[in-house]
Amino acid sequence: MSASLAELAPRLATVPASFRIVPLDAALGAVVEGFDVRNAPVGAQLWALKTALREHHILVFRGQQPDDAAFLDFTSHFGTVFAPPRNAPVLGSDPYGAAPDIVLVSNVDDGLLGNAELTAHADHHWTPQPSSGSLLYALEIPATGGDTTWFNLVKAYEALDEPTRREIDGLQLITYNPFLRRRHPLPGVAGVPRYRTPDIEPLTPWVAHPLVRTHPDSGKRLLYLGEATEVEIVGYDASRGAALIARLRAHLLQPRFAYTHRWQVGDIVYWDNQATLHSRTAFDPATRRRLKRISLSGSRPF
């Protein structure tokens, strides 16, 4: 148990002795032991979980078996289910802009995201109020591939040199909606641009968020930028902005800020979407990978 969690010891005196939160030997993350998400947690456990999430950004629950109702009930202790704006599609959105409470992340059974590699990103970054966190529950896992890596954006910002911090503090970044870009691909261009230049018509609707975000719970500052999503710094020369973003992306993707999770059936991983990015390795399309995700509502970044 970490130093800050040790302070909770008096509150935890009434919970089972098997309940423990053990930090991972990594840049972020902790494993929750002795806890079944199907059982109603006591207040001391919830406080410990929320404190651990604020400190470690990822919580790993092993050997879980909730049905959909129990999964939703557990997540309700941490907030309401994320509901995207109807004009800002997200993963799972129907033609009318509504998204299900539980999203099937799978390459089978009409699931979403297939088997390809996914670059590091924060869910719903392009919406006015991005989700605060997500919980992903593993039902079927391939023997190899499909691993998820999380990156600690707080540590990435703290490791920047002082001149770079002064340069980026106060900048506003537009992260364009990748689902809208799929509907409106650029003629003659393979893939998606990583930085919007003046010759590209901006996707609408769009919203600008701080490039350096303040975490709403901890007050820590972090580098709020994904690996490859189309972006633009407000009021910056395009070539200068593209160079700066490329430099920041190379910095935040360093292994020293990362934790890679090898999934097991029954894992639930709860991550702070306000302080992390996550990516996925590709896996054999002939194998099955099936997980369920619930995302929680958040607030406008500042």
Side-chain angles (χ1 to χ4, degrees):
M1 186 174 291
S2 65
S4 62
L5 289 179
E7 298 172 1
L8 297 172
R11 300 189 187 198
L12 295 176
T14 59
V15 305
S18 59
F19 176 74
R20 299 196 330 159
I21 300 174
V22 182
L24 293 166
D25 185 17
L28 67 171
V31 176
V32 180
E33 299 178 349
F35 187 82
D36 188 333
V37 303
R38 295 173 299 183
N39 299 331
V42 299
Q45 287 175 313
L46 280 174
W47 181 256
L49 293 174
K50 292 183 179 186
T51 300
L53 184 72
R54 186 173 66 245
E55 180 173 350
H56 300 292
H57 307 310
I58 302 172
L59 299 180
V60 180
F61 303 80
R62 300 279 194 187
Q64 304 298 318
Q65 296 180 312
D67 58 19
D68 286 355
F71 191 22
L72 281 165
D73 185 67
F74 174 63
T75 64
S76 71
H77 293 289
F78 304 97
T80 57
V81 175
F82 172 79
R86 293 302 177 99
N87 62 353
V90 299
L91 183 69
S93 290
D94 65 20
Y96 305 100
D101 288 349
I102 300 178
V103 175
L104 180 62
V105 179
S106 172
N107 66 322
V108 295
D109 302 333
D110 296 321
L112 303 166
L113 292 182
N115 70 293
E117 177 183 359
L118 299 177
T119 58
H121 61 282
D123 292 335
H124 318 122
H125 195 153
W126 52 91
T127 62
Q129 295 176 312
S131 57
S132 63
S134 293
L135 295 93
L136 192 59
Y137 170 37
L139 300 169
E140 294 182 77
I141 296 298
T144 59
D147 300 339
T148 302
T149 296
W150 280 270
F151 296 87
N152 188 328
L153 297 179
V154 172
K155 288 191 174 182
Y157 176 75
E158 292 174 346
L160 289 169
D161 59 75
E162 192 58 35
T164 300
R165 287 196 209 176
R166 287 198 302 267
E167 182 181 7
I168 66 176
D169 285 351
L171 294 180
Q172 294 287 306
L173 183 75
I174 300 169
T175 299
Y176 289 102
N177 190 324
F179 295 93
L180 288 178
R181 177 54 70 200
R182 291 176 191 174
R183 296 179 186 178
H184 305 285
L186 297 173
V189 176
V192 175
R194 297 194 172 194
Y195 196 93
R196 191 192 81 85
T197 51
D199 59 303
I200 300 174
E201 185 71 20
L203 293 166
T204 56
W206 55 262
V207 62
H209 293 314
L211 175 57
V212 178
R213 180 178 183 176
T214 300
H215 194 281
D217 298 321
S218 70
K220 293 183 177 180
R221 308 201 78 194
L222 59 102
L223 189 56
Y224 197 46
L225 170 69
E227 176 182 359
T229 313
E230 183 180 355
V231 298
E232 174 186 2
I233 299 177
V234 177
Y236 245 52
D237 171 78
S239 59
R240 181 185 173 202
L244 174 58
I245 290 299
R247 178 159 57 92
L248 294 174
R249 283 170 164 164
H251 169 78
L252 65 84
L253 294 173
Q254 293 179 77
R256 60 177 168 146
F257 305 132
Y259 160 66
T260 297
H261 186 72
R262 176 60 199 154
W263 290 92
Q264 300 176 24
V265 171
D267 283 356
I268 293 177
V269 178
Y270 177 16
W271 69 90
D272 185 345
N273 198 51
Q274 303 162 129
T276 66
L277 302 179
H278 58 282
S279 63
R280 184 188 73 184
T281 59
F283 60 96
D284 185 347
T287 61
R288 294 172 63 92
R289 185 179 188 272
R290 194 164 62 93
L291 306 94
K292 291 182 176 181
R293 190 193 75 183
I294 300 174
S295 295
L296 299 171
S297 60
S299 56
R300 192 177 186 97
F302 61 93

